[in-house]
Amino acid sequence: MSLDLALLQATQEGERPIRTEAEAHVFLDDFAGVMAALVATIEEETALVRAGKLFEATDVATRKAAELGRYLQIRTRLKREFQTLSRLAPEILPGMRDEHALAIEKIRANLGVLAIAREVAEGIVRNVSASGGRTAAPATYGRNAAPPPSQRL
């Protein structure tokens, strides 16, 4: 993407393009803060689900959705201004890549925990539904006044 196109997009989205080293550092600090907040929320949700505190985890999920929206917004800007950032703050980007890789691993672990919790919950619902259906059958006499097969001795 050309610098002119990046400037045009940033201006159209209401963001001032990054032009100085100080602005680059401020933006990268903001990005790191947003990513750290998202990772902390994901870790909190993972811990709650592993502990079986699913109702508390749903409250965290709402906060996670908001933080994820902010992360995606700032990550889009990072991608758009990457050339400028790599020119103005090249020493910061390698460390951020490492932190991002660790964050991705934590997100994968979170998704795995959520998938297992969902499978367990679905299994419980299926078992309750199946056992409820069996006991809900009327206990009446069958043909020729014989008790139903489950009541015969």
Side-chain angles (χ1 to χ4, degrees):
M1 175 184 303
S2 73
L3 184 58
D4 293 334
L5 184 56
L7 291 173
L8 179 63
Q9 280 183 338
T11 304
Q12 288 174 345
E13 294 174 11
E15 299 169 343
R16 207 171 127 249
I18 297 170
R19 293 189 178 147
T20 67
E21 187 176 330
E23 289 174 346
H25 284 275
V26 167
F27 173 76
L28 292 172
D29 286 346
D30 188 32
F31 180 83
V34 168
M35 190 170 66
L38 177 62
V39 168
T41 302
I42 286 171
E43 288 174 330
E44 180 183 356
E45 181 186 46
T46 301
L48 288 170
V49 171
R50 282 183 175 155
K53 299 178 180 180
L54 301 180
F55 289 114
E56 292 175 36
T58 57
D59 295 337
V60 174
T62 304
R63 192 172 74 236
K64 181 178 83 169
E67 289 176 0
L68 184 59
R70 174 72 179 125
Y71 170 77
L72 292 174
Q73 182 182 35
I74 199 167
R75 185 171 179 262
T76 300
R77 185 173 182 201
L78 175 79
K79 289 171 79 174
R80 186 178 58 242
E81 304 231 24
F82 188 77
Q83 282 184 321
T84 303
L85 292 168
S86 59
R87 183 174 41 82
L88 295 173
E91 71 284 357
I92 296 176
L93 294 178
M96 290 189 78
R97 279 192 185 115
D98 295 341
E99 290 176 23
H100 194 261
L102 290 172
I104 295 298
E105 290 304 314
K106 290 177 182 180
I107 291 169
R108 284 189 181 130
N110 175 263
L111 292 173
V113 167
L114 293 176
I116 291 169
R118 175 184 225 154
E119 287 178 27
V120 169
E122 287 174 354
I124 291 170
V125 169
R126 274 193 302 275
N127 288 340
V128 167
S129 175
S131 66
R134 278 183 260 147
T135 59
T140 60
Y141 289 98
R143 289 176 35 188
N144 299 327
S150 62
Q151 291 184 351
R152 289 185 190 156
L153 297 175

